[in-house]
C-alpha cells in the first residue's frame, strides 16, 4: 500500500470542510452524481469517436445503495463510466484542478470560511463528501484497462492507494458516514435528494434498498432487495419548456455551475430550421469568483446530439459574456469536432452569433420589465458588458442600451437613454468625467460649470471607462465629451465673458506660463470655475492625465506624456493675490502650487511630492 500526501491546498480545503458547519451539506450527493455523470459522458464520447472503445458494451447508469446498520453506516455511489487509473486517482483526487482556487482560499476571511455558499461557489466537488464522512473509499477501473485501484482517506493530510477488484470499468465511491451524515443512510432521504438535485441527469440513477416483507397477519417474514430508477433521466434542456418549472431550471443550474445560489434568470431556446440546436443559458446572480482571472473557467458546455463534447472551450461565447453559464447542444455538428474545427465552423459561429443576440436582448427585456433585478445584474456584470463595447462592434447598439453609469443627477445607475431624456434643451453633448475613484471624480472642480448650467455629467469611475467610452463616440446623434478635455469646455463658456476675461488676464497668463515652463501646454482663463481657483484639462487629442497615470501603473512602457492645460479662475481670491503681486518669486511658487493642487484634485500622483510640500511650506512662512 502506498501512502501519499495531499497537496497543501487540498489539505487546507479538507480542513475547512471538516471543521466548518454546513447548512447545505446535502449537496455532496449532487456533486458525486454530477462527477459520475461526467464520467459516463466521457466514456460515451469515446465509444462514439475512438476506435479503441468501439466494441465496448456500454449501458450507462449510476447506482446508489446504503447500509443502515447502526455500527457501520455507509453510502455507495457507483458508475460504469470512464473510471480512473492509478495516476488519475493520485492526481485528480489529490489536487485541485481549478486554477485560482488556491488564491481564493488564501484570501478567505474567517467569516467567509463559515459561509458554505462561498465554498460551494468554486465547487469543492468530490471533496464535499468529507462533510458527511469520516472515511471515503474510491474503487476505480479505467475503461480499457485491467488494473483496479482503491483510493482511501480520512481527509487528514494523506490518502492511501492499493490494488483492488472491480468487474466493469467505472468508479465506486464508498462513504463511511459520520454523525453529520447519519441521516443519509435512508431510502426516503436519498430518494428526495436525487429527485431534488439530480432529476435531470441524463443517465438513469438507481436506488437500491431492502423492503421488509410481511405475512397476512402483519408479521415480518423477511425482506426483499429492490432496485428502482429514481430520476427521469432526460437532458433537461431537451424537455419542452412547458413541462419545466423555474425550480427545475434552477436546480439544474446549481448542478453544474459551481454556484449554490439561484441564478438571476435563464434563457431557454430550442431552434429549428437552418440550424437545429438547443441552448440553455443562465445569468448568475453573483459574478463567478474567477471572472477577472485571465485563465477563468468557461461556464458553457458543448453537446452534440446530447453527447457531451467539452466544457473547456472559451470561444463558445465572446469573452465579455464569460459570466454566462449554460449548455449548447447542436444537432448539426460532427461528434468528433476538434477545437480547430470548432473555431472556424459555420454552424458553430451561427449558434454563437444567435446566442449573443438572444442573451443581450433578454438582458434588455429584464432591464425594462424588472429594473430591480436588472440593478443586481448590472452591479455584477456592468464591467464585462462594457468590455463588449470595444470588442463587439456588431452588437454595439444592444450593448449601449445595457451598460449603466453613475451620474451627477441620479442615485445609483443611469442608462444613456435615460440621460438623454434628462438633457437640457440647449445641451449639445453627453458629458462625462472619467478616471480615479468615484469620490475623487465627484469632487472634481471641473464639474462646477456644468452644474451651474444644469448639465448632467456621467461619473465614470470604472477603471476601463477611460478606454471604453472614447470608443463609443456618439449615442443617438449626441457626441460623448470628456469634460477634462478642452473641446467640452467651449460648450459651456460664455463667449462674451470669455473675451473680456481674456483681456483682463493677459498679463498674469504670460507670467504664469513663464513660471511653469514646459510643465503645461497652456494657461487659460476660465469662466466655468465657480469655487475653485484652478483646474486642469488636456487638449482634445491628448490623453487625460488620469489615463496616463493608469497606463503607467499598468506598466505600459511608452505612455505619451501629454501636458495639461491650466485653467485659472480670475475671480478667486487666491488667483487675485497672484495677479496683484509684483514679486516674481511669489508668482512662480504660487503657480506651481496651483498647478500641483489642481492635479492632486483630479487624483493624479505628483512626480515630486517633496517639491510641492517644500514650496507650500516656503509660501506659508512668508
Ligand atoms: P471537478 O468535478 O470539479 O473536476 P472533483 O474534485 O469533483 O472536481 O473531481 C476531480 C476529478 O476527479 C474530476 O475532474 C474527474 O477527472 C475525476 N473524477 C471524480 N469523480 C469521478 C468519477 N466518478 N469517475 C471518473 N472520474 C472522476
Amino acid at each position: 500500500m502506498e501512502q501519499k500526501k495531499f497537496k497543501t491546498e487540498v489539505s487546507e480545503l479538507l480542513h475547512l470542510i471538516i471543521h466548518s458547519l454546513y447548512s447545505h451539506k446535502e449537496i455532496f450527493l449532487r456533486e458525486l452524481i454530477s462527477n459520475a455523470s461526467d464520467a459516463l459522458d466521457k466514456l460515451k464520447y469515446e465509444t462514439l469517436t475512438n476506435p479503441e472503445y468501439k466494441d465496448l458494451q456500454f449501458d450507462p447508469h449510476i447506482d446508489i445503495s446504503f447500509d443502515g446498520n447502526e455500527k457501520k453506516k455507509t453510502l455507495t455511489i457507483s458508475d460504469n463510466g470512464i473510471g480512473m487509473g492509478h495516476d488519475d486517482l493520485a492526481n485528480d483526487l489529490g489536487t485541485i484542478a481549478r486554477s485560482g482556487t488556491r488564491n481564493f482560499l488564501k484570501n478567505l476571511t474567517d467569516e467567509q470560511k463559515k459561509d458554505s455558499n462561498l465554498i460551494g461557489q468554486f465547487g469543492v466537488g468530490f471533496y464535499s463528501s468529507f462533510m458527511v464522512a469520516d472515511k471515503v473509499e474510491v474503487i476505480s477501473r479505467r475503461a480499457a484497462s485491467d488494473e483496479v485501484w482503491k483510493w482511501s482517506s480520512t481527509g487528514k493530510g494523506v490518502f492511501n492507494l492499493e490494488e483492488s477488484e472491480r468487474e466493469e470499468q467505472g468508479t465506486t465511491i464508498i462513504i463511511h458516514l459520520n454523525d453529520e451524515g447519519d441521516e443519509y443512510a435512508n431510502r426516503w432521504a436519498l430518494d428526495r435528494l436525487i429527485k431534488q438535485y439530480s432529476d435531470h441527469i441524463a443517465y438513469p440513477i438507481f436506488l437500491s434498498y431492502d423492503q421488509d416483507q410481511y405475512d397476512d397477519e402483519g408479521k415480518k417474514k423477511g425482506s426483499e432487495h429492490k432496485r428502482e430508477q429514481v430520476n427521469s433521466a432526460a437532458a433537461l434542456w431537451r424537455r419542452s419548456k412547458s413541462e419545466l418549472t423555474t425550480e427545475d431550471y434552477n436546480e439544474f443550474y446549481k448542478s453544474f455551475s459551481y454556484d449554490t445560489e439561484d441564478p438571476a434568470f435563464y434563457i431557454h431556446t430550442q431552434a429549428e430550421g437552418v440550424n437545429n440546436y438547443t441552448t440553455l443559458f443562465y445569468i448568475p446572480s453573483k459574478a463567478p469568483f474567477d471572472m477577472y482571472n485571465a485563465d477563468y473557467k468557461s461556464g458553457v458546455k458543448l453537446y452534440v446530439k446530447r453527447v457531451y463534447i467539452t466544457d473547456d472551450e472559451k470561444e463558445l461565447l465572446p469573452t465579455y459574456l464569460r459570466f454566462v453559464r449554460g449548455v449548447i447542444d447542436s444537432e448539426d455538428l460532427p461528434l468528433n469536432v476538434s477545437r480547430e474545427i470548432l473555431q472556424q465552423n459555420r454552424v458553430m459561429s451561427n449558434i454563437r452569433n444567435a446566442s449573443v443576440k438572444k442573451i443581450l436582448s433578454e438582458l434588455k427585456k429584464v432591464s425594462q420589465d424588472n429594473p430591480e433585478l436588472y440593478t443586481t445584474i448590472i452591479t455584477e456584470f456592468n464591467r464585462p458588458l462594457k468590455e463588449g463595447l470595444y470588442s463587439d462592434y456588431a452588437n454595439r447598439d444592444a450593448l449601449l442600451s445595457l451598460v449603466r453609469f453613475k451620474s451627477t443627477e441620479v442615485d445609483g445607475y443611469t442608462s444613456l437613454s435615460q440621460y438623454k431624456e434628462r438633457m437640457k434643451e440647449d445641451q449639445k453633448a453627453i458629458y462625462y468625467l472619467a478616471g480615479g475613484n468615484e469620490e475623487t471624480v465627484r469632487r472634481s472642480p471641473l464639474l462646477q460649470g456644468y452644474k451651474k448650467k444644469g448639465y448632467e455629467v456621467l461619473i465614470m469611475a470604472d477603471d476601463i471607462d477611460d478606454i471604453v467610452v472614447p470608443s463609443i463616440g456618439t449615442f443617438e446623434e449626441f457626441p460623448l465629451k470628456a469634460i477634462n478635455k478642452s473641446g467640452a469646455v467651449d460648450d459651456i463658456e460664455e463667449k462674451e465673458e470669455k473675451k473680456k476675461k481674456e483681456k483682463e488676464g493677459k498679463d498674469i497668463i504670460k507670467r504664469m506660463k513663464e513660471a511653469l515652463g514646459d510643465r503645461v501646454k497652456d494657461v487659460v482663463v476660465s469662466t466655468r470655475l465657480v469655487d475653485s481657483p484652478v483646474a486642469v484639462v488636456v487638449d482634445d487629442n491628448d490623453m487625460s492625465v488620469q489615463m496616463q497615470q493608469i497606463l503607467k501603473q499598468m506598466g505600459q512602457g511608452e505612455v505619451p506624456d501629454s501636458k495639461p492645460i491650466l485653467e485659472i479662475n480670475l475671480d478667486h481670491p487666491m488667483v487675485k493675490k497672484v495677479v496683484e503681486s509684483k514679486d516674481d518669486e511669489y508668482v512662480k511658487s504660487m503657480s506651481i502650487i496651483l498647478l500641483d493642487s489642481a492635479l492632486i484634485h483630479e487624483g493624479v500622483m505628483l512626480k515630486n511630492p517633496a517639491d510641492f510640500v517644500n514650496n507650500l511650506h516656503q509660501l506659508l512662512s512668508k
Side-chain angles (χ1 to χ4, degrees):
M1 191 161 76
E2 286 173 76
Q3 187 168 76
K4 284 179 180 277
K5 275 203 174 112
F6 286 116
K7 285 260 154 42
T8 329
E9 63 266 27
V10 180
S11 276
E12 281 168 22
L13 180 66
L14 285 170
H15 184 85
L16 228 126
I17 288 175
I18 293 170
H19 295 278
S20 302
L21 286 174
Y22 288 95
S23 46
H24 292 99
K25 58 182 195 282
E26 62 193 34
I27 60 148
F28 79 94
L29 189 64
R30 174 185 79 196
E31 299 289 322
L32 296 180
I33 291 176
S34 158
N35 280 349
S37 168
D38 289 348
L40 293 167
D41 275 342
K42 284 180 198 156
L43 184 55
K44 186 166 170 193
Y45 177 72
E46 293 296 338
T47 58
L48 292 168
T49 57
N50 187 344
E52 225 184 288
Y53 293 89
K54 222 177 63 220
D55 298 327
L56 191 107
Q57 289 302 320
F58 180 45
D59 164 31
H61 58 86
I62 298 167
D63 264 285
I64 297 180
S65 60
F66 59 92
D67 185 338
N69 187 315
E70 248 351 286
K71 288 217 187 73
K72 50 154 198 174
K73 286 195 175 169
T74 58
L75 177 60
T76 302
I77 294 123
S78 181
D79 66 70
N80 59 346
I82 190 89
M84 288 174 275
H86 173 277
D87 295 353
D88 301 322
L89 284 166
N91 294 327
D92 296 347
L93 305 185
T95 54
I96 301 177
R98 293 186 78 200
S99 56
T101 310
R102 194 177 182 160
N103 264 338
F104 182 74
L105 280 175
K106 217 169 58 200
N107 294 330
L108 284 184
T109 61
D110 286 346
E111 215 29 59
Q112 287 170 322
K113 282 180 184 167
K114 291 198 194 108
D115 180 352
S116 62
N117 280 335
L118 254 174
I119 300 292
Q121 201 199 71
F122 65 86
V124 290
F126 167 76
Y127 302 107
S128 64
S129 50
F130 284 95
M131 294 196 268
V132 294
D134 37 41
K135 183 178 170 190
V136 178
E137 294 171 291
V138 181
I139 299 157
S140 197
R141 176 174 179 162
R142 176 94 193 166
S145 156
D146 300 331
E147 287 181 29
V148 183
W149 287 92
K150 177 158 110 181
W151 177 105
S152 61
S153 176
T154 55
K156 301 197 181 81
V158 294
F159 58 91
N160 296 319
L161 281 172
E162 63 199 290
E163 287 200 64
S164 182
E165 281 176 30
R166 192 184 201 285
E167 246 171 54
E168 210 185 1
Q169 86 287 335
T171 303
T172 299
I173 297 179
I174 304 167
I175 297 175
H176 296 263
L177 295 164
N178 60 16
D179 291 346
E180 292 280 317
D182 201 49
E183 61 197 274
Y184 300 116
N186 172 293
R187 174 188 167 193
W188 301 111
L190 291 168
D191 187 85
R192 176 182 69 82
L193 287 186
I194 298 166
K195 286 207 168 84
Q196 181 180 350
Y197 291 122
S198 309
D199 192 53
H200 62 272
I201 292 288
Y203 304 100
I205 303 171
F206 294 100
L207 178 61
S208 296
Y209 58 94
D210 290 321
Q211 192 164 54
D212 291 343
Q213 301 289 307
Y214 298 92
D215 62 20
D216 295 343
E217 275 134 45
K219 248 176 73 187
K220 191 172 156 183
K221 63 170 187 182
S223 64
E224 192 188 349
H225 186 73
K226 297 223 166 183
R227 178 173 179 261
E228 270 173 11
Q229 182 173 336
V230 182
N231 66 330
S232 45
L236 177 122
W237 61 92
R238 301 287 306 178
R239 289 163 61 187
S240 98
K241 290 193 224 177
S242 57
E243 280 181 29
L244 293 164
T245 63
T246 303
E247 222 163 44
D248 294 331
Y249 281 111
N250 290 357
E251 283 311 333
F252 175 59
Y253 169 76
K254 289 184 216 166
S255 74
F256 74 92
S257 65
Y258 296 108
D259 193 353
T260 47
E261 271 179 56
D262 283 341
F265 72 99
Y266 58 85
I267 309 161
H268 191 184
T269 310
Q270 290 164 326
E272 278 172 27
V274 186
N275 293 299
N276 297 293
Y277 62 87
T278 303
T279 55
L280 174 54
F281 295 121
Y282 291 90
I283 308 298
S285 44
K286 278 239 166 61
F289 80 95
D290 59 355
M291 189 164 75
Y292 293 117
N293 291 359
D295 55 356
Y296 69 91
K297 177 128 177 55
S298 157
V300 178
K301 293 186 181 209
L302 178 69
Y303 287 76
V304 171
K305 300 188 189 75
R306 264 129 12 260
V307 177
Y308 166 83
I309 306 291
T310 176
D311 67 353
D312 187 26
E313 178 48 73
K314 292 195 167 106
E315 300 296 318
L316 296 176
L317 288 177
T319 312
Y320 72 90
L321 291 179
R322 60 190 176 278
F323 56 88
V324 175
R325 266 72 188 110
V327 171
I328 296 176
D329 186 358
S330 160
E331 297 294 306
D332 311 318
L333 284 169
L335 267 176
N336 55 357
V337 61
S338 71
R339 174 161 290 191
E340 292 69 36
I341 293 178
L342 209 54
Q343 284 172 3
Q344 312 149 4
N345 183 283
R346 207 171 43 81
V347 173
M348 196 57 234
S349 79
N350 285 345
I351 297 178
R352 180 182 141 121
N353 291 341
S355 297
V356 173
K357 288 215 156 47
K358 183 78 187 169
I359 292 169
L360 298 183
S361 70
E362 290 296 317
L363 278 166
K364 183 161 184 180
K365 255 193 219 154
V366 171
S367 77
Q368 289 161 343
D369 302 344
N370 192 345
E372 207 175 307
L373 179 62
Y374 194 67
T375 304
T376 55
I377 292 174
I378 215 65
T379 311
E380 299 292 315
F381 306 121
N382 204 19
R383 205 200 118 122
L385 288 171
K386 282 178 183 169
E387 290 171 26
L389 281 174
Y390 67 78
S391 59
D392 187 0
Y393 202 77
N395 291 299
R396 180 176 176 277
D397 288 344
L399 284 161
L400 275 177
S401 70
L402 293 176
V403 294
R404 295 289 182 268
F405 302 100
K406 299 281 182 65
S407 133
T408 51
E409 291 302 309
V410 292
D411 290 334
Y413 290 104
T414 179
S415 68
L416 288 174
S417 48
Q418 287 161 344
Y419 177 104
K420 202 182 137 199
E421 275 165 31
R422 288 188 296 265
M423 276 171 73
K424 288 275 172 294
E425 231 164 68
D426 64 342
Q427 197 176 330
K428 298 188 199 74
I430 295 171
Y431 298 105
Y432 71 91
L433 183 56
N437 64 39
E438 186 175 341
E439 196 50 29
T440 313
V441 178
R442 282 198 186 277
R443 299 178 71 167
S444 165
L446 296 172
L447 293 169
Q448 293 164 7
Y450 296 84
K451 193 164 178 217
K452 201 165 90 185
K453 292 277 276 178
Y455 292 174
E456 177 172 356
V457 179
L458 296 173
I459 302 295
M460 306 215 174
D462 244 342
D463 54 359
I464 63 163
D465 285 335
D466 237 333
I467 302 167
V468 172
V469 179
S471 77
I472 299 176
T474 59
F475 175 75
E476 296 177 1
E477 328 278 78
F478 287 99
L480 271 81
K481 287 191 179 177
I483 64 163
N484 53 6
K485 299 215 166 170
S486 48
V489 180
D490 294 341
D491 289 1
I492 59 160
E493 293 216 295
E494 307 293 342
K495 300 282 175 293
E496 288 304 306
E497 199 193 337
K498 176 105 178 173
K499 266 195 196 134
K500 212 176 91 207
K501 287 257 170 199
E502 266 168 358
K503 236 186 222 159
E504 193 185 316
K506 217 168 161 189
D507 185 46
I508 186 62
I509 283 184
K510 190 161 160 259
R511 290 176 80 193
M512 283 181 79
K513 264 201 228 176
E514 263 169 33
L516 292 170
D518 65 359
R519 284 200 60 197
V520 290
K521 193 166 202 171
D522 207 352
V523 179
V524 297
V525 292
S526 168
T527 60
R528 64 164 170 166
L529 293 174
V530 182
D531 302 323
S532 302
V534 283
V536 282
V537 295
V538 294
D539 235 353
D540 259 353
N541 299 322
D542 286 345
M543 196 183 277
S544 74
V545 279
Q546 293 91 340
M547 185 70 188
Q548 291 176 41
Q549 175 161 308
I550 290 172
L551 290 181
K552 274 181 198 153
Q553 279 165 356
M554 279 163 45
Q556 299 275 342
E558 294 288 299
V559 181
D561 219 357
S562 50
K563 299 194 172 67
I565 299 170
L566 183 69
E567 288 191 20
I568 57 171
N569 175 2
L570 292 176
D571 299 329
H572 194 279
M574 239 172 115
V575 178
K576 278 190 178 149
K577 275 179 92 172
V578 185
V579 173
E580 283 154 17
S581 171
K582 300 272 175 291
D583 178 356
D584 281 343
E585 270 309 300
Y586 176 78
V587 172
K588 179 157 190 190
S589 302
M590 277 299 276
S591 301
I592 295 172
I593 292 280
L594 286 168
L595 172 64
D596 284 348
S597 61
L599 288 167
I600 290 173
H601 215 148
E602 297 303 318
V604 174
M605 309 242 256
L606 296 178
K607 274 197 201 106
N608 278 312
D611 285 354
F612 173 74
V613 175
N614 286 341
N615 240 315
L616 187 66
H617 290 174
Q618 255 176 30
L619 264 177
L620 289 176
S621 23
K622 267 191 189 163

